[in-house]
């Protein structure tokens, strides 16, 4: 069932007249051009229908009329394409007119910052948690037993001179002078094996405040108690911890020292953050920075919390958060941490790379 | 502890240069705080002997001396009155360099002088100007005086930890270096002390044997109190002591040399000729050597004569019995006092001395005896020709032998995690300890009397590690604990709220915990709830903070000067006294002040206010179910010292489902704004009890379906009385339970022309929708009609036209 030739021709000629009558200049937008294209060349478009209609004609007519229709399609498609290019380039021109000064300053989103000491403490806590330590805590207002007695620092012992203490009026309490009482509280709370940290705990010393001394500062305390823990475990743990914290080339050095609650005790140095150990003014040419105190848990401490030192052994270390932040960020005065000047607080950001 | 290098060399065969020693000391646990080089102030000065002294022909006060340096004899003019034949002296030859300049040949009153016999001042070794320095008669001649007199000395300030009082002397350091570095100690020259058996020391009675386990006394007669010889003064000055007189200087010398504190009394001032070691009686006091009078109490141990205390035992002697220029007879005390008593007295009286410093750490009980001997020997040599020394009276009621420590090398390796050879460990134990014997695999080691710190295998493990080297212990990473680590809930809440506050644009502050009494009174915290310090650093820091607000206000004031957008927060502890306990809670506080954003061409210029703070707190607490926001804070457990912070008309309280107050929020009361010099601004603050918050829990989010069909919304402006709280209006709308009503938003609030006096216009955007289809206009209109009717009914609301 086909269309007869004259009917096809009538329809085709009407289409051709319409196509020829199209003045591209009168189509002013890309949208209108798109509609025009669909009208003629889209699926079901007028010219498309004519081309489909060819199939119903005789072979001769098809040979005669086919090329005419194809040629009309080609020329119309080309005119549409040309107009499209014209319209697009004029669009670019009008966009050009809307240009803005891209160098104007943008309003920063009002993001706040965490305190540098928070950042420092969180970083340390994260590493130690990955190494298998759980978080523990204790009060800042402590009793004598937890702050001193249980840590093998009896009353009237000169070791108390190392930690000048604030006492509360009319109350049998003091402000803890170190985070080590958290060790005692952790051992009172749970039986070993234990691996706990006190993350960035506040401590107090009766010290006049100046550029290098603060009456308030913070420590990260770490305690591991298990069977067969040795000084070698302490060395290994601190080595991994310091490398994670300060970079893989960091070296640690252990020097004999004294704390009542550890035996043997050590002062731990790390290779200078600035010069890497070659010697510079920051490390006073030594190549080392004093970083923290550590040691094997003194059996007297185990006895104080009712653990048998022949069965259990452990290590503990504590380091100053301020001290590390001062070295890492090269902060010249410890008081800056507590003045809360926005010009200071804004400087310390966690960069994403 | 100040250690003179040349002094140390008299105790130890020390070949290391000082810098090398300083470099090596930390590896055995000794920190050197400073190294002070006492520059060789002179050169070309040698020791010499004065052969003869004759009068200068032309000057009464000058003498003409013949002096030999062993190689040559010189003719020298000397102006010092104390020059005498037979003296050993420092002699500057022509050409010598002295602190005052180069010495040349000179004619003094017509007589040529071929050099100069030097005083301490001329060599910068002391303060004694008129006399020449007289050296120890045993000094060899021709020796470089710079070396001998410490002119070229190095003084090390070594930090000694409280557990090692045995290192508080030159002998102690020498012993330690000998053990650690294998350097031989020098043998002391054995000199016999001529004791006079006729002379009887005062009887000594110890009433508190626990406090004074040993007391050695000697009586010494025929003493001539005068200046010490130069070598002694030089030694004391090198370690920072001021020379006083020969007797006192000798006791100080023994203190610094051997670590044993001694005290010399003027024996003639001791009433009743006897010594009693006892506790002070009520009401007693003593005028001490420092010129101050100290009231004594029965917990203080004193040395007393028949009638009165003559010394605070182990701390300081009394002025009445002190050695003076007139003293002829001495009573020499060399005792051992128990550490706690000395420390108690020293602390209570706020009086510290070199003696108390050593006694409170623990001295060597055996030294009480031999130090007395050494001191007596020096006194007999340096305090005149007719000195007579009594035998010692050694009262030793508290005799206790050190307990042996039983330990195997394997045990030490097990503590350290090390692999030190057995022989090395045992070698250290043998060197450190006084006596060792063997019992199977174990060593039984008796610590020496001066090592009070050695009692357990752990102590010996530390000795082994220290001497053999901490760096030789391997580093072992403990196998991973196959247990999940826990984070404390309170810690997690702090951590998350910190991050949230920073994300909301707030900068984190850390403040001190101390406030002044005035600041606390501004918060109107009753005194019974204040936690005050016994020993504050200053009046500004007398009370522990009951709120974080004052710290933030301080910070705001500091930053306010630059008219910045100030948005601060802090997470920290607050303290409140509750009877005999201190309640310590973690809070989060935040403060907004000034413009919402920094001045910027893109930014609106609005000042932060109450509703900005409310928005932040709402965000922080979003997801916590059951919170009640109210304008009055009468809930139980109201521990907030923040109630008085805020304008009563401009504050909010948030109650937890338990009914407990969880948080407060408001604009700062003008009274406080004035106190913080921010009268013209109105900071807004809030404070949340994070401990309460940590006790609550919020459900994990569960997906709720939302409609795929478009929603419809209508804006409805109603006029109501201005005293109707918005909260009630929204509650009223919700009470209709219109299922299609998705949300109610207040999009505008207006008072003023067009709205009657005493009323306000609220524009509410009502959003409707259904999950299964699009609502028709008629359905929406009918719902809006119901709402309007209810608002009219309840609040007499009118549609605004």
């Amino acid at each position: 069932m086909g269309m007869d030739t004259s009917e096809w021709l009538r329809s085709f000629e009407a289409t051709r007249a319409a196509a020829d009558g199209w003045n591209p200049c009168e189509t002013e937008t890309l949208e209108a051009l798109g509609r025009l294209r669909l009208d003629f060349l889209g699926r079901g478009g007028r010219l498309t229908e004519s081309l489909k209609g060819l199939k119903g004609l005789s072979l001769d007519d098809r040979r005669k009329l086919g090329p005419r229709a194809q040629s009309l399609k080609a020329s119309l498609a080309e005119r549409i394409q040309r107009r499209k290019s014209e319209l697009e380039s004029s669009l670019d021109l009008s966009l050009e007119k809307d240009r803005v000064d891209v160098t104007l300053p943008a309003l920063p989103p009002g993001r706040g910052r965490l305190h540098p000491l928070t950042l420092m403490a969180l970083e340390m806590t994260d590493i130690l948690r990955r190494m298998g330590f759980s978080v523990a805590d204790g009060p800042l207002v402590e009793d004598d037993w937890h702050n001193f007695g249980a840590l093998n620092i009896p009353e009237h012992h000169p070791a108390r001179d190392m930690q000048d203490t604030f006492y509360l009026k009319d109350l049998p309490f003091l402000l803890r002078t170190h985070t080590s009482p958290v060790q005692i509280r952790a051992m009172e709370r749970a039986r070993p094996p234990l691996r706990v940290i006190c993350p960035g705990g506040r401590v107090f010393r009766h010290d006049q405040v100046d550029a290098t001394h603060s009456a308030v500062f913070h420590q990260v305390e770490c305690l591991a108690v298990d069977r067969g823990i040795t000084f070698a475990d302490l060395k290994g743990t601190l080595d991994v911890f310091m490398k994670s914290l300060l970079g893989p080339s960091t070296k640690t050095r252990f020097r004999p020292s004294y704390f009542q609650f550890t035996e043997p005790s050590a002062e731990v140095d790390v290779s200078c953050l600035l010069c890497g150990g070659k010697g510079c003014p920051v490390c006073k040419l030594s190549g080392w920075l004093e970083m923290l105190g550590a040691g094997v848990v003194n059996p007297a401490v185990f006895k104080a919390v009712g653990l048998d030192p022949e069965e259990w052994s452990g290590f503990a270390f504590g380091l100053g958060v301020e001290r590390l932040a001062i070295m890492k960020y090269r902060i010249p005065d410890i008081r800056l941490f507590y003045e809360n000047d926005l010009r200071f607080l804004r400087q310390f950001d966690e960069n994403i790379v | 502890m100040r250690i003179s290098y040349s002094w140390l060399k008299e105790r130890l065969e020390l070949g290391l240069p000082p810098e090398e020693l300083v470099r090596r000391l930390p590896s055995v646990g000794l920190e050197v705080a400073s190294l002070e080089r006492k520059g060789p102030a002179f050169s070309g000065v040698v020791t010499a002997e004065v052969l003869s002294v004759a009068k200068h022909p032309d000057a009464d006060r000058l003498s003409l001396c013949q002096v030999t340096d062993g190689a040559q004899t010189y003719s020298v003019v000397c102006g010092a009155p104390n020059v005498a034949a037979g003296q050993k002296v420092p002699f500057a030859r022509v050409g010598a360099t002295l602190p005052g300049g180069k010495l040349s040949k000179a004619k003094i009153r017509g007589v040529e002088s071929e050099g100069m016999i030097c005083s301490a001042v001329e060599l910068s070794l002391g303060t004694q100007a008129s006399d020449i320095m007289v050296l120890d008669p045993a000094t060899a001649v021709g020796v470089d005086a710079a070396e001998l007199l410490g002119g070229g000395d190095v003084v090390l300030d070594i930090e000694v930890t409280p557990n090692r009082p045995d290192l508080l002397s030159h002998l102690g350091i020498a012993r330690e270096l000998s053990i650690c570095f294998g350097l031989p100690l020098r043998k002391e020259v054995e000199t016999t002390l001529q004791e006079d058996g006729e002379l009887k020391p005062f009887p000594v009675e110890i009433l508190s044997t626990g406090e004074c386990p040993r007391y050695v006394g000697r009586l010494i007669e025929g003493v001539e109190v005068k200046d010490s010889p130069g070598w002694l003064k030089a030694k004391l000055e090198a370690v920072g002591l001021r020379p006083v007189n020969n007797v006192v200087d000798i006791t100080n010398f023994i203190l610094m040399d051997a670590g044993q504190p001694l005290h010399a009394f003027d024996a003639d001032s001791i009433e009743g000729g006897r010594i009693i070691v006892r506790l002070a009686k009520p009401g007693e006091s003593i005028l001490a050597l420092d010129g101050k009078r100290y009231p004594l109490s029965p917990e203080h141990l004193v040395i007393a004569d028949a009638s009165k205390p003559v010394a605070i035992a182990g701390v300081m002697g009394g002025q009445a019995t002190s050695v003076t220029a007139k003293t002829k007879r001495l009573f020499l005390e060399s005792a051992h006092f128990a550490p706690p008593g000395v420390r108690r007295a020293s602390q209570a009286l706020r009086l510290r001395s070199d003696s108390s410093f050593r006694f409170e750490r623990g001295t060597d009980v055996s030294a009480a005896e031999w130090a007395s001997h050494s001191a007596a020997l020096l006194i007999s040599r340096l305090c005149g020709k007719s000195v007579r020394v009594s035998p010692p009276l050694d009262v030793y009621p508290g005799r206790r032998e050190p307990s042996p420590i039983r330990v195997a090398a394997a045990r030490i390796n097990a503590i350290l995690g090390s692999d030190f050879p057995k022989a090395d460990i045992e070698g250290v134990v043998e060197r450190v300890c006084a006596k060792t014997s063997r019992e199977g695999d174990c060593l039984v080691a008796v610590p020496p009397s001066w090592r009070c710190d050695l009692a357990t295998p752990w102590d010996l493990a530390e000795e082994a590690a220290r001497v053999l080297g901490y760096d030789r212990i391997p580093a072992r990473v403990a196998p991973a604990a196959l247990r999940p680590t826990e984070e404390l809930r309170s810690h997690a809440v702090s951590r998350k709220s910190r991050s949230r506050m920073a994300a909301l644009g707030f900068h984190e502050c850390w403040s001190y915990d101390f406030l002044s009494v005035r600041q606390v009174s501004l918060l109107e915290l009753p005194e019974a709830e204040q936690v005050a310090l016994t020993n504050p650093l200053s009046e500004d820091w007398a009370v522990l903070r009951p709120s974080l607000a004052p710290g933030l206000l301080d910070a705001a004031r500091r930053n306010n000067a630059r008219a910045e957008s100030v948005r601060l927060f802090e997470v920290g502890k607050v303290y409140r006294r509750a009877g005999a306990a201190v309640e310590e809670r973690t809070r989060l506080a935040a403060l907004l002040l000034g413009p919402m954003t920094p001045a910027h061409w893109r930014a609106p210029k609005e000042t932060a206010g109450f509703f900005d703070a409310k928005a932040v707190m709402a965000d922080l607490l979003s997801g916590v179910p059951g919170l009640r926001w109210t304008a009055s804070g009468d809930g139980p457990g109201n521990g907030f010292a923040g109630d008085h912070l805020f304008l009563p008309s401009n504050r909010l309280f948030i109650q937890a489902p338990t009914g407990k107050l969880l948080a407060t929020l408001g604009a700062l009361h003008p009274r406080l704004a004035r106190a913080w010099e921010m009268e013209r601004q109105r900071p807004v603050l809030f404070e949340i009890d994070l401990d309460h918050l940590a006790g609550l829990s919020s459900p994990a989010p569960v997906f709720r379906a939302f409609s795929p069909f478009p929603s419809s919304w209508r804006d409805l402006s109603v006029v109501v009385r201005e005293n109707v709280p918005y909260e009630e209006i929204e509650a009223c709308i919700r009470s209709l339970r219109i299922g299609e009503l998705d949300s109610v938003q207040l999009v505008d609030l207006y008072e003023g022309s067009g709205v009657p006096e005493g009323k306000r216009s609220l524009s509410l955007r009502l959003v409707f929708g259904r999950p299964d289809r699009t609502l028709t206009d008629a359905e929406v209109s009918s719902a809006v009609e119901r709402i309007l009717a209810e608002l009219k009914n309840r609040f007499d609301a009118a549609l605004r036209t």
Side-chain angles (χ1 to χ4, degrees):
Chain A
M1 194 184 68
M3 192 190 273
D4 78 23
T5 305
S6 59
E7 203 180 325
W8 185 89
L9 262 177
R10 205 166 39 248
S11 152
F12 176 70
E13 286 307 328
T15 301
R16 184 163 66 186
D20 287 349
W22 173 54
N23 178 0
C25 296
E26 287 167 3
T27 303
E28 286 175 330
T29 66
L30 283 167
E31 290 74 26
L33 188 68
R35 281 195 300 274
L36 182 112
R37 196 188 150 274
L38 278 177
D39 185 28
F40 284 96
L41 303 175
R43 202 193 315 189
R46 284 195 267 173
L47 191 50
T48 312
E49 286 300 312
S50 290
L51 284 164
K52 279 190 206 157
L54 280 170
K55 274 185 249 165
L57 303 185
S58 67
L59 186 61
D60 270 5
D61 286 347
R62 262 189 277 168
R63 280 199 184 137
K64 193 165 67 185
L65 298 172
R68 282 171 64 190
Q70 290 294 352
S71 130
L72 177 62
K73 184 188 175 187
S75 76
L76 181 62
E78 198 224 314
R79 285 164 72 205
I80 290 174
Q81 185 55 46
R82 200 183 307 137
R83 182 59 184 160
K84 192 178 172 209
S85 307
E86 283 170 18
L87 285 174
E88 278 172 349
S89 57
S90 73
L91 186 68
D92 286 349
L93 276 175
S94 71
L95 285 177
E96 185 69 11
K97 267 184 243 156
D98 289 344
R99 205 164 72 131
V100 294
D101 175 3
V102 296
T103 68
L104 284 172
L107 176 64
R111 187 164 59 84
R113 301 277 188 278
L114 293 177
H115 195 279
L117 295 175
T118 298
L119 292 176
M120 206 71 256
L122 282 178
E123 201 179 332
M124 289 191 263
T125 309
D126 276 356
I127 296 168
L128 290 166
R129 288 198 61 200
R130 287 199 298 273
M131 292 173 72
F133 290 85
S134 290
V135 172
D137 212 345
L140 275 55
V141 171
E142 262 297 3
D143 53 49
D144 197 273
W145 168 250
H146 286 94
N147 196 73
F148 291 124
L151 289 162
N152 194 29
I153 313 173
E155 211 188 340
H156 300 300
H157 193 282
R160 292 200 177 193
D161 287 351
M162 292 160 84
Q163 302 180 5
D164 285 333
T165 311
F166 285 108
Y167 292 93
L168 300 193
K169 206 184 211 163
D170 307 328
L171 289 168
F173 300 115
L174 47 83
L175 296 181
R176 71 176 181 199
T177 57
H178 48 183
T179 43
S180 304
V182 176
Q183 292 183 25
I184 303 299
R185 292 192 175 271
M187 286 188 280
E188 285 172 341
R189 206 158 26 223
R191 302 286 302 174
L194 277 176
R195 280 169 175 74
V196 292
I197 42 167
C198 173
R202 183 166 284 210
V203 301
F204 303 83
R205 298 278 169 92
H206 196 274
D207 233 346
Q208 286 300 332
V209 175
D210 62 26
T212 55
H213 295 87
S214 183
V216 170
F217 59 98
H218 298 80
Q219 293 180 332
V220 167
E221 182 89 15
C222 194
L223 170 75
V225 181
D226 211 331
R227 292 185 176 85
I229 285 196
T230 69
F231 194 87
D233 296 307
L234 170 66
K235 282 187 80 170
T237 303
L238 273 174
D239 187 57
V240 171
F241 176 46
M242 286 300 159
K243 282 188 164 74
S244 310
L245 188 64
L246 305 172
S249 59
T250 307
K251 288 192 281 290
T252 47
R253 177 175 82 169
F254 287 67
R255 283 181 290 114
S257 187
Y258 166 70
F259 307 102
Q260 281 287 114
F261 38 96
T262 50
E263 182 84 21
S265 303
E267 200 75 60
V268 184
D269 302 331
V270 296
S271 46
C272 178
L273 307 184
L274 207 61
C275 65
K278 286 194 277 294
C280 69
V282 169
C283 58
K284 298 194 184 85
L285 303 177
S286 72
W288 296 97
L289 294 173
E290 194 175 312
M291 188 56 81
L292 60 97
V296 170
V297 177
N298 193 313
V301 174
F302 283 139
K303 283 182 196 151
V305 294
L307 293 176
D308 177 4
E310 294 298 331
E311 180 180 6
W312 300 105
S313 61
F315 66 71
F317 62 83
L319 72 167
V321 183
E322 276 83 349
R323 184 172 179 75
L324 190 61
I326 280 171
M327 287 189 224
K328 184 163 173 176
Y329 302 124
R330 287 183 232 157
I331 292 167
D333 189 325
I334 197 167
R335 287 170 294 197
L336 284 165
F337 290 119
Y338 298 95
E339 282 170 357
N340 299 320
D341 192 312
L342 280 166
R343 292 169 296 181
F344 174 80
L345 297 176
R346 273 197 283 259
Q347 293 184 26
F348 309 98
D349 204 357
E350 271 186 304
N351 294 322
I352 60 173
V353 287
Chain B
M1 173 73 203
R2 286 169 67 89
I3 292 290
S4 149
Y5 206 73
S6 58
W7 191 339
L8 189 61
K9 280 164 102 174
E10 293 172 22
R11 284 289 191 180
L12 184 70
E13 288 179 28
L14 182 57
L16 299 172
E19 287 78 6
E20 176 64 13
L21 182 67
V22 168
R23 205 185 56 75
R24 287 175 63 174
L25 281 177
S27 71
V28 297
L30 291 172
E31 280 304 309
V32 179
S34 69
L35 181 151
E36 207 179 301
R37 203 167 262 290
K38 298 254 173 188
F42 53 88
S43 65
V45 180
V46 294
T47 57
E49 186 175 351
V50 181
L51 297 174
S52 64
V53 178
K55 271 209 131 44
H56 187 285
D58 279 342
D60 283 352
R61 286 207 295 228
L62 296 179
S63 37
L64 190 57
C65 311
Q66 298 299 308
V67 173
T68 179
D69 65 2
Q72 204 182 326
T73 303
Y74 304 85
S75 176
V76 181
V77 176
C78 181
N82 69 328
V83 67
Q87 285 171 334
K88 300 283 174 60
V89 293
F91 174 63
R93 290 174 295 201
V94 171
T97 306
L98 299 178
K102 220 175 172 72
L103 189 71
S104 51
K105 217 175 233 192
K107 264 194 178 167
I108 299 167
R109 294 263 179 136
V111 179
E112 192 141 292
S113 183
E114 298 171 319
M116 182 168 87
I117 305 174
C118 303
S119 72
V121 165
E122 280 153 349
L123 297 178
S124 287
L125 288 175
T127 50
Q128 184 62 259
S130 57
D131 291 355
I132 54 162
M133 278 181 82
V134 180
L135 307 177
D136 190 327
T139 309
V141 294
V143 176
D144 185 350
E147 196 148 295
L148 184 82
L149 298 176
D153 201 3
V154 170
V155 177
L156 307 178
D157 191 358
I158 298 183
E159 287 173 3
V160 174
T161 51
N163 60 326
R164 293 300 304 274
D166 62 300
L167 299 182
L168 295 169
S169 68
H170 286 79
L171 170 65
I173 296 285
R175 268 191 312 233
E176 184 73 0
L177 299 186
S178 166
I179 289 168
C180 294
F181 302 139
L183 305 168
L185 286 170
R186 285 190 205 278
K187 286 264 180 302
E188 281 188 73
V189 187
E190 289 284 328
T191 317
T192 43
L193 172 65
Q194 293 294 328
E195 287 170 350
D196 186 337
E198 302 281 285
L199 210 54
K200 291 275 177 277
F202 293 160
V204 172
E205 190 183 358
I206 303 178
L207 299 181
S208 290
T209 55
E211 307 270 3
C212 177
R214 189 175 198 181
Y215 194 106
V216 178
R218 272 181 208 267
L219 197 66
I220 303 175
E221 290 190 349
V223 172
E224 229 176 282
V225 178
K226 54 185 180 181
D227 265 4
S228 296
W231 65 267
L232 180 52
K233 287 185 186 171
K235 273 201 159 73
L236 294 182
E237 281 170 349
V239 297
L241 292 180
R242 188 177 48 87
V244 180
N245 58 46
N246 50 2
V247 173
V248 173
D249 292 353
I250 287 166
T251 59
N252 281 335
F253 171 80
I254 298 290
L255 178 75
M256 292 299 164
D257 186 52
Q260 170 65 25
L262 303 171
H263 186 69
F265 295 96
D266 176 3
D268 293 317
S269 315
I270 303 277
E271 284 178 61
R274 60 203 194 93
I275 292 288
I276 305 153
V277 184
R278 61 163 167 87
L279 295 172
K281 295 171 186 161
E284 279 185 331
S285 70
I286 185 169
L287 183 65
L289 275 171
D290 63 356
K292 292 187 195 144
R293 181 163 288 282
Y294 293 90
L296 300 170
S297 76
E299 59 171 13
H300 302 145
L301 188 72
V302 296
I303 313 301
D305 62 12
S307 69
K308 60 177 187 300
V310 292
I312 309 162
V315 182
M316 197 173 275
Q319 209 160 62
T321 53
S322 67
V323 172
T324 66
K326 293 186 195 126
T327 301
K328 294 281 173 265
R329 285 205 315 154
L330 302 176
F331 180 75
L332 182 69
E333 164 192 300
S334 179
H336 182 79
F337 298 112
V342 174
R343 184 171 164 81
R344 225 169 18 239
S346 161
Q347 279 195 319
L349 303 173
R350 296 178 178 276
L351 177 61
R352 298 183 69 177
S353 64
D354 285 324
S355 296
S356 70
F357 190 76
R358 284 165 178 78
F359 280 127
E360 69 179 30
R361 281 162 172 71
T363 53
D364 177 3
V365 72
S366 73
E369 196 274 323
W370 60 258
S372 168
H373 180 271
S374 306
L377 193 65
L378 269 177
I379 291 170
S380 67
R381 273 173 53 199
L382 301 179
C383 302
K385 294 194 170 62
S386 46
V387 173
R388 291 166 63 217
V389 179
S390 81
L393 174 69
D394 187 353
V395 186
Y396 194 0
R399 182 182 294 274
R400 227 181 50 206
E401 298 305 325
S403 321
I405 306 168
R406 239 179 129 263
V407 67
R411 178 83 180 101
I412 287 179
N413 269 331
I415 289 170
L416 299 175
S418 55
D419 200 13
F420 291 125
K422 186 164 177 260
D424 290 4
I425 291 177
E426 291 181 347
V428 173
V429 173
E430 278 160 6
R431 267 186 284 162
V432 168
C433 290
K435 278 193 302 240
T436 49
S437 55
R438 191 168 287 281
E439 223 177 70
D441 267 349
C442 285
L443 281 183
V444 180
V446 182
S449 56
W450 54 87
R451 289 298 301 269
C452 338
D453 60 315
L454 299 181
T456 67
W458 285 265
D459 298 327
L460 291 179
E462 180 173 71
E463 292 302 301
R466 213 160 52 82
V467 176
L468 299 175
Y470 275 30
D471 52 354
R472 286 175 59 196
I473 300 173
R476 189 178 81 172
V477 182
L482 296 175
R483 284 181 296 272
T485 67
E486 289 162 29
E487 184 174 30
L488 279 185
R489 191 168 162 77
S490 60
H491 185 250
V493 169
S494 300
R495 182 174 54 78
K496 289 178 194 164
S497 42
R498 280 185 165 115
S499 306
R500 177 75 68 90
M501 288 304 290
L504 289 169
F506 286 72
H507 288 85
E508 189 185 10
C509 297
W510 284 33
S511 310
Y512 298 115
D513 302 62
F514 313 111
L515 299 179
S516 67
V517 172
R518 186 179 150 270
Q519 283 176 320
V520 176
S521 70
L522 281 169
L523 299 174
E524 297 184 17
L525 183 72
E527 209 172 317
E529 295 180 21
Q530 295 180 9
V531 184
L533 295 175
T534 308
N535 54 339
L537 279 175
S538 75
E539 278 183 30
D540 288 342
W541 281 13
V543 184
L544 294 183
R545 60 187 179 188
S547 159
L548 300 177
L552 287 183
L553 287 167
D554 284 347
R557 178 171 53 191
R558 172 179 295 275
N559 288 293
N560 193 20
R562 288 181 304 281
E564 283 186 276
S565 165
V566 177
R567 305 180 126 215
L568 304 171
F569 81 100
E570 178 164 5
V571 174
K573 289 284 182 83
V574 299
Y575 311 83
R576 205 165 64 110
R577 184 169 172 175
V582 173
E583 197 192 2
E584 189 182 310
R585 303 193 71 88
T586 307
R587 295 244 183 108
L588 180 151
L591 178 148
L592 291 88
L593 174 70
M596 280 296 287
T597 51
H600 192 274
W601 65 281
R602 291 274 292 164
K605 288 159 185 57
E606 279 178 42
T607 301
F610 177 85
F611 292 101
D612 302 302
K614 184 179 174 184
V616 173
M617 184 148 84
D619 186 284
L620 197 61
L621 297 176
S622 62
V624 183
L627 298 185
R628 213 163 72 82
W629 298 57
T630 66
S632 65
D634 303 329
N638 181 344
F640 278 80
D643 309 9
H644 304 282
L645 277 176
F646 304 125
L647 262 185
S649 58
N650 229 331
R651 64 181 187 193
L652 262 177
F653 298 86
I654 293 153
Q655 282 172 352
T658 54
K660 275 191 180 170
L661 194 64
L662 180 71
T664 54
L665 174 143
L668 189 68
H669 198 288
R671 188 170 50 83
L672 282 104
R674 214 166 21 248
W676 266 276
E677 297 154 19
M678 287 183 287
E679 284 160 288
R680 267 178 294 153
Q681 285 126 314
R682 178 63 51 82
V684 277
L685 298 101
F686 65 78
E687 193 161 22
I688 301 177
D689 189 313
L690 289 188
D691 289 333
H692 272 162
L693 191 62
L696 306 178
S697 60
S698 43
V702 172
F703 174 74
R704 277 183 298 133
F706 40 86
S707 171
F709 299 96
S711 50
S712 317
W713 52 268
R714 297 286 167 83
D715 281 354
L716 181 69
S717 291
V718 290
V719 177
V720 291
R721 284 190 318 280
E722 66 181 6
N723 59 359
V724 177
Y726 170 78
E727 194 179 40
E728 289 182 21
I729 290 173
E730 195 179 320
C732 166
I733 296 171
R734 296 215 179 268
S735 70
L736 292 173
R737 298 181 184 282
I738 298 170
E740 289 81 14
L741 181 65
D742 277 346
S743 70
V744 182
Q745 294 160 33
L746 180 67
V747 292
D748 197 19
L749 180 66
Y750 177 75
E751 290 169 65
S753 76
V755 175
E757 184 80 18
K759 299 206 168 182
R760 59 179 177 173
S761 159
L762 307 171
S763 297
L764 301 167
R765 176 161 299 173
L766 306 165
V767 183
F768 300 92
R770 274 181 71 105
D772 53 346
R773 62 180 172 84
T774 310
L775 288 169
T776 65
D777 251 18
E779 285 170 319
V780 174
S781 299
S782 129
V784 171
E785 285 307 318
R786 273 184 69 201
I787 290 169
L788 190 58
E790 185 68 15
L791 292 178
K792 271 186 182 157
N793 181 28
R794 285 274 301 279
F795 305 112
D796 194 21
L799 197 60
R800 189 180 168 208
T801 46

